[in-house]
Amino acid sequence: SAVISQKPSRDICQRGTSLTIQCQVDSQVTMMFWYRQQPGQSLTLIATANQGSEATYESGFVIDKFPISRPNLTFSTLTVSNMSPEDSSIYLCSVEDPRTGVQETQYFGPGTRLLVL
Amino acid sequence: GQNIDQPTEMTATEGAIVQINCTYQTSGFNGLFWYQQHAGEAPTFLSYNVLDGLEEKGRFSSFLSRSKGYSYLLLKELQMKDSASYLCAVPRGDYKLSFGAGTTVTVRA
């Protein structure tokens, strides 16, 4: 399976600031996904990032708050803008996982733990 | 859209068996996934069912009934390391997944 790294692994930020999270994959993948997991909650999809096109955002998430870049097939960034304490969460990127032969299978990065004060 | 329900918490004793149920409602069915997530870690793929019946993989088995919109994950011979959250997920038909809220399993000695 793919090896995914995320930077930073954790951060503590002040409200009103922005943080950019990087996701690096060791192989080329078509689709990359960004999720948020708030404390004690399940995974909520923020957006899908495809190389060469604009990210597709889920209901409740907007580009101004969560701008995404996807400059090539192995890398993506998610920025959490103008942060508030409600943005404290784990942010995870994921990619297609071909092991099952099912396109919807996803393989997750280690996550970025964000605390906003 | 998808509506996925699973119990919030379950507790069991080491060596025992636990069954985690998941019911779903989806407009177009294309399989069901189970993921395991240890505290502070990323979710990891456990199983995928697309046909009715039981699929066994060592101590873990997953069952699906498409007509009932129902699945379960069976954990046998529980070990302390099985303490984790177990997430049921269904594809949305556009290469994305919808996750249930997760079931936290606590294994006691």
Side-chain angles (χ1 to χ4, degrees):
Chain A
S1 56
V3 176
I4 306 174
S5 60
Q6 284 187 235
K7 289 181 182 179
S9 58
R10 59 179 69 240
D11 208 342
I12 301 173
C13 301
Q14 297 298 317
R15 68 176 67 205
T17 62
S18 297
L19 176 72
T20 295
I21 302 168
Q22 300 178 5
C23 179
Q24 179 76 53
V25 190
D26 69 344
S27 58
Q28 294 185 336
V29 293
T30 303
M31 307 187 81
M32 295 180 78
F33 305 90
W34 286 99
Y35 288 85
R36 180 173 73 183
Q37 187 173 31
Q38 295 180 305
Q41 304 297 313
S42 189
L43 300 163
T44 301
L45 183 63
I46 297 171
T48 304
N50 293 333
Q51 194 267 337
S53 62
E54 293 289 325
T56 305
Y57 289 83
E58 298 298 304
S59 176
F61 297 96
V62 294
I63 188 172
D64 290 347
K65 176 68 176 177
F66 297 102
I68 286 171
S69 78
R70 182 80 198 273
N72 57 53
L73 291 174
T74 63
F75 186 78
S76 178
T77 68
L78 170 76
T79 299
V80 187
S81 304
N82 188 25
M83 288 184 284
S84 67
E86 290 71 34
D87 294 319
S88 297
S89 187
I90 300 172
Y91 292 85
L92 298 127
C93 71
S94 73
V95 303
E96 310 147 54
D97 182 346
R99 288 175 297 168
T100 65
V102 179
Q103 280 184 296
E104 288 84 358
T105 311
Q106 293 180 22
Y107 186 78
F108 288 84
T112 295
R113 284 147 187 79
L114 171 63
L115 177 63
V116 184
L117 302 177
Chain B
Q2 281 80 19
N3 187 25
I4 303 169
D5 290 313
Q6 50 182 132
T8 305
E9 295 179 328
M10 302 183 77
T11 302
T13 306
E14 203 173 9
I17 298 173
V18 69
Q19 178 176 314
I20 307 168
N21 296 325
C22 171
T23 58
Y24 63 88
Q25 295 174 327
T26 181
S27 53
F29 183 75
N30 191 28
L32 185 141
F33 293 86
W34 284 97
Y35 280 79
Q36 179 190 56
Q37 186 178 25
H38 286 100
E41 298 183 12
T44 55
F45 169 80
L46 280 181
S47 67
Y48 171 73
N49 293 66
V50 68
L51 299 176
D52 290 349
L54 185 69
E55 299 236 355
E56 299 189 67
K57 243 193 241 186
R59 294 189 299 113
F60 291 7
S61 303
S62 54
F63 172 84
L64 176 68
S65 169
R66 289 173 294 173
S67 62
K68 295 181 180 177
Y70 168 69
S71 173
Y72 67 73
L73 181 69
L74 194 68
L75 285 59
K76 294 180 280 189
E77 300 170 19
L78 277 174
Q79 302 175 9
M80 299 299 287
K81 66 178 181 179
D82 298 329
S83 292
S85 182
Y86 292 86
L87 305 167
C88 173
V90 294
R92 286 167 35 177
D94 52 359
Y95 309 108
K96 302 172 187 176
L97 292 176
S98 289
F99 284 86
T103 300
T104 300
V105 171
T106 302
V107 181
R108 300 176 304 189

